[in-house]
Amino acid sequence: MTSPDSGAGTAADLPDYAPIPRSALGPALNDQGYYVGRVQRNLYWVTDGTYQSAFLTTRDGVVLFDAPPTIGGNLRRAVDEIAAANGVPGTVTHLVYSHHHDDHSGAASLFDGDVVRIGHEETRRLLLRDNSPARPAPEVTFGDRYTLEVGGERVELAWHGPNHSPDNIYIHFPGHDTLMFIDVVNAGWVPIYNTNLSEDVPGYMAAPAIALSYPWTHFISGHLGRLATREDVAVHQQYIADIEASAQEALASVNPVPYFMKYGENAWAGVKGYLDEVTERTAAPVIAKYTGVLAAADIEIFTRTTSFAIMQSLRLDRGPSAPVHP
């Protein structure tokens, strides 16, 4: 009987990448694979180095914000650790969904009983559609704004339109100088594929300015190993602005005609050749500029796919997509 190929011996074939800037990394994880730290006063954040959650301890119990499955049971351990250290109730009474995606909510069912689940009205619709027992739909929903008041604490929830997802919300802790906004800015890192797998590119591009319009010092971004700063959001904005400017230049300078002449009846081959060239010209200077500045900038497919998404948004959302035929 043979065992499946384990992939042993293939590491030498894997590509090498630039060293990660030390500033992009967060605190070391404990032996159980997580880190829990104080953001400010009784607001805490939890990370496994890739995903992030947050919780607020109050005199009436704990309010949890997102439940990523990769952190999973360590969320319960983190809450218990802090509650025991501070002598406060460790019962999770409320769970707020930032949005419906499973990678930020797939451990929600670990917190059952009398937990009040809160989210945008679109989050409820999408979770009912998805019908996942791991992500019970919120009972308390809102359209534009909702103020959560628990145990003497106040949290402001707001929806400012679609961005990463149709339902992604801004979670503001005015008494803790903190904003939680997920899946748009990665502190010290580039977005992964296609603007962080976002569904609404214009909304994604506009979202950081909305985030910066709030008063805050601490930013919980949902991913990777550290909290973000206002400077992190500004650097992200500049990265996206550079891609946008580069895409505009590439769209203006690359002539599509030779690609369609080359491939004749194979129109899709012409489209591929043209768009590949525009994407490459868009991404190349941005990759060069941000390698060593933002972690993973040299993983070229990330900037290339984000460049493609933004370039297509410029064509399709803003227009013109092509000259109007006379």
Side-chain angles (χ1 to χ4, degrees), residues 11 13 15 30 64 71 73 79 127-128 139 142 180 249-250 292 309 323:
D13 300 326
N30 64 19
L64 181 65
I71 304 178
V79 168
L127 289 179
L128 289 174
E139 304 90 0
F142 65 96
M180 182 173 182
E249 182 178 343

Side-chain angles (χ1 to χ4, degrees), residues 53-79:
S53 176
F55 63 91
L56 189 64
T57 61
T58 80
R59 62 178 182 245
D60 295 334
V62 174
V63 184
L64 181 65
F65 300 87
D66 278 353
T70 64
I71 304 178
N74 279 336
L75 285 175
R76 179 74 267 173
R77 296 180 186 96
V79 168

Side-chain angles (χ1 to χ4, degrees), residues 211-285:
L212 287 171
S213 73
Y214 282 84
W216 55 267
T217 300
H218 315 290
F219 188 94
I220 302 169
S221 66
H223 277 288
L224 301 161
R226 69 167 174 86
L227 298 176
T229 65
R230 299 185 78 89
E231 182 181 359
D232 288 319
V233 178
V235 172
H236 168 89
Q237 278 186 302
Q238 188 59 56
Y239 170 83
I240 295 298
D242 286 344
I243 291 176
E244 179 182 6
S246 188
Q248 289 172 332
E249 182 178 343
L251 285 168
S253 62
V254 177
N255 181 6
V257 173
Y259 301 94
F260 291 97
M261 292 182 63
K262 162 70 176 177
Y263 292 108
E265 293 180 341
N266 192 344
W268 274 180
V271 168
K272 178 184 184 301
Y274 168 63
L275 293 181
D276 283 355
E277 179 63 22
V278 173
T279 302
E280 174 59 27
R281 289 203 196 180
T282 299

Side-chain angles (χ1 to χ4, degrees), residues 112-295:
D112 52 14
D114 295 328
V115 175
V116 177
R117 302 174 194 277
I118 303 167
H120 189 261
E121 59 191 16
E122 186 71 356
T123 301
R124 176 174 172 81
R125 186 189 73 81
L126 291 167
L127 289 179
L128 289 174
R129 177 201 68 180
D130 296 343
N131 193 29
S132 169
R135 295 174 286 155
E139 304 90 0
V140 178
T141 63
F142 65 96
D144 293 331
R145 296 181 182 275
Y146 181 83
T147 299
L148 173 62
E149 294 182 332
V150 180
E153 301 293 343
R154 178 168 61 93
V155 184
E156 300 288 348
L157 312 180
W159 180 78
H160 295 291
N163 44 77
H164 169 68
S165 67
D167 57 327
N168 199 28
I169 63 172
Y170 297 73
I171 303 170
H172 186 220
F173 303 88
H176 300 82
D177 201 17
T178 298
L179 183 70
M180 182 173 182
F181 181 54
I182 304 302
D183 276 342
V184 173
V185 177
N186 301 330
W189 297 70
V190 298
I192 63 165
Y193 305 93
N194 300 311
T195 60
N196 265 357
L197 306 177
S198 293
E199 299 178 45
D200 189 295
V201 174
Y204 174 91
M205 295 172 69
I210 297 173
L212 287 171
S213 73
Y214 282 84
W216 55 267
T217 300
H218 315 290
F219 188 94
I220 302 169
S221 66
H223 277 288
L224 301 161
R226 69 167 174 86
L227 298 176
T229 65
R230 299 185 78 89
E231 182 181 359
D232 288 319
V233 178
V235 172
H236 168 89
Q237 278 186 302
Q238 188 59 56
Y239 170 83
I240 295 298
D242 286 344
I243 291 176
E244 179 182 6
S246 188
Q248 289 172 332
E249 182 178 343
L251 285 168
S253 62
V254 177
N255 181 6
V257 173
Y259 301 94
F260 291 97
M261 292 182 63
K262 162 70 176 177
Y263 292 108
E265 293 180 341
N266 192 344
W268 274 180
V271 168
K272 178 184 184 301
Y274 168 63
L275 293 181
D276 283 355
E277 179 63 22
V278 173
T279 302
E280 174 59 27
R281 289 203 196 180
T282 299
V286 180
I287 292 169
K289 177 177 178 179
Y290 286 92
T291 296
V293 176
L294 289 175

